Amino acid sequence: MASEQELSTSFIPALYKPAALLPIARHKASLLYLVEKYPVTIVVGQTGSGKTTQLPQYLDQAGWCEDGKLIAVTQPRRVAATTVATRVAEEMRCQVGEAVGYSIRFEDLTSAETRVKFLTDGMLLREALVDPLLSRYSVIMVDEAHERSLSTDVLLGILKKIRKKRPELRIIISSATLQAEDFLRFFAGDEYHPDADSAELGGSIGRIISLEGRMYPVDTLFLESPAEDYVERAVKTVFDIHTQESEGDILVFLTGREEIDRAIQLISERAADLHPKSDSLVPLPLYAGLTTEQQMYVFEPTGENSRKVIVSTNIAEASVTIDGIVYVVDCGFAKLRAYNPSTGIETLTAVPISKASATQRAGRAGRTRPGKCFRLYTEQTYEQLPEATIPEIQRSNLAPIVMQLKALGIDNIVRFDFLTSPPAELVIRAFELLFSLGAVDDYAKLTKPLGMRMAELAVDPMMAKVLLAAPTFNCLSEMLSIAAMVSLQGTVWVQSYDNKKAAESHRRKFAVEEGDHLTYLNVYQAFVTKGKKDSKWCRDHLLNYRAMQRAVSIRGQLKRYLERFGIQVDETLSRQQTVDTSRQPEQIQRCLTTGYFAHAAKMQPDGTFKTVSGGLTLHAHPSSLMFNRKADWVIFHEIMQTGDKTYIRDITKIEKNYLLEYAPEYYKVT
DNA sequence: GAGCACTGC
């Protein structure tokens, strides 16, 4: 028993396990053989197989980096790219940035020495803009491809094209079991033989290889009848585990902050009724909206005679891994974003998870020793779940993707070889928006220079249009700050439980009559003049210091882009112009309208908004300054439906005639 | 009176 305790709270992290002992080691020869012989290798690797850390080293040793070529390993997330690079550098006994490096937005730790490079898949796509055949790389490994993120899917399509022009390129796709054949079929195309012996499915193009993982068995239990209230049921299950099962921490999957807060509350209340001599329960929330510091609590070992209960969103399904979890409680739902092409509105709703998700959640219980997973639904319900989650490319606003593909020289989006094609309505809607912004012409070609430049800017198309229009309105310097702040997506303010009123009064100090965009500008300017080197200043004003630093980086990057286009950003000009303070806000309001005219709404007497067509009732999001304030016409950055309400966020007042002035085609004068 | 998770020179 003592040794088991030691294992689960071991101070020697799993990453120091000798590499030779990893399950992948005995497949080294066959892996290298496959990569040598076939252009595409699909690696089905269970958790802990060592594929991400070992395979790149094998390839390096086998000479794939001779002639100055590099091995790229892509990750869907920034943190993964940095942590894996650090670990591989340790194993290869070098500093990160030497033989092993990583490259993510704002952080490039690579050098002329670098042979193995970890990067986000979005970053590799960006590299394809300047090096369309990705000719620096001899091998490209796409890790976690089964997650089917937007960039992963686009990257796979690009790689398929590149492969035809670069037969010597080696592509490795790491996937979960379920999708391995889909990937192989995609790359093998006509050569895929569905009737062949499974070993020969991929013809001369590729093969699938399976690596066993380091997982302990997980017992899965279902409910006999459906739960009425899964939050309540989750709490009950936590106490059943606590009183009846042996030691080990618990991970509960719920869908959002509200449910999590309620569950934490219930657990705390009922924990008071536990027998005084029994072990204590320590409930901890985990969701992306928490600050990094608040998230760190889930990694701290609890004291003796106590058990952690981590109540989490989907963030713990793939992005965050916590050691010591022995029990998983799965509510069977997750909140998922989807884009409705007929309304142009994003929805965020709780939907049943897929079988693949359920398996992944259960697996979180078997990382340190055999575990148990309690599913708060019946086995029959489980059987009816879809096999896999619908990939993002089939439920997203595709305007940014269309722009990106166009910038990469792929003109015919409809005929582009996607792993799974997006629905036609999504593609049509994207083109309609881009056409209305002037980014594409009647033939769906990128316009010059507007469309071309918009495609290169790393902001959404509406904001890209605004930035490129800003010089005309003499507000480029201001608009750069606004674009950077909007890119932070609502992380500007620190969320505080205790003092909502204090937070509100701090926000009001920066408030500007015209709305959220000018308020952002105010915050940004205050930060760079007063708080740039001072995290205390941010704390005092309940601003998120790291987010603000990020805004500075984003702004700098956007500015460099514009300068590369030959657009001068005169930072002194804007200060001189503040003499004429009455005029500046109007120029910004006008400029915003040139990009956001499709996101216009009119306030109704009851304080809600209606779209121009008049159909839909919109509510100002409570985080907006326009919540509880009077306005007439407004434009907004984002529209999202959650529950039964549709919210707009980042709102600025405008005049109705701006719409007619800057989008006469869109708002035909009647 | 409130939003799942990610990403980009």
Side-chain angles (χ1 to χ4, degrees), chain A residues 49 208 256 290 411 413-414 420 456 483 527 613 665:
Chain A
S49 64
I208 298 173
L290 297 172
D411 247 344
I413 307 295
V414 179
T420 45
E456 281 199 43
F527 176 73
S613 53
E665 289 297 307

Side-chain angles (χ1 to χ4, degrees), chain A residues 549-568:
Chain A
Q549 284 179 309
R550 195 175 160 81
V552 174
S553 303
I554 296 174
R555 189 184 188 282
Q557 196 174 65
L558 293 172
K559 183 178 167 183
R560 284 196 296 280
Y561 262 111
L562 291 166
E563 285 171 345
R564 210 191 302 157
F565 300 152
I567 300 169
Q568 285 309 307

Side-chain angles (χ1 to χ4, degrees), chain A residues 465-506:
Chain A
K465 170 75 183 285
V466 168
L467 280 175
L468 291 166
T472 322
F473 295 89
N474 280 319
C475 62
L476 182 52
S477 172
E478 290 79 2
M479 208 50 92
L480 279 168
S481 308
I482 292 172
M485 293 293 281
V486 169
S487 299
L488 299 176
Q489 301 172 112
T491 54
V492 177
W493 303 95
V494 179
Q495 303 207 9
S496 61
Y497 291 105
D498 356 293
N499 45 0
K500 277 187 183 170
K501 276 185 183 160
E504 192 53 42
S505 75
H506 275 288

Side-chain angles (χ1 to χ4, degrees), chain A residues 279-293:
Chain A
D279 287 357
S280 61
L281 268 179
V282 184
L284 298 164
L286 179 64
Y287 47 85
L290 297 172
T291 62
T292 324
E293 289 155 343

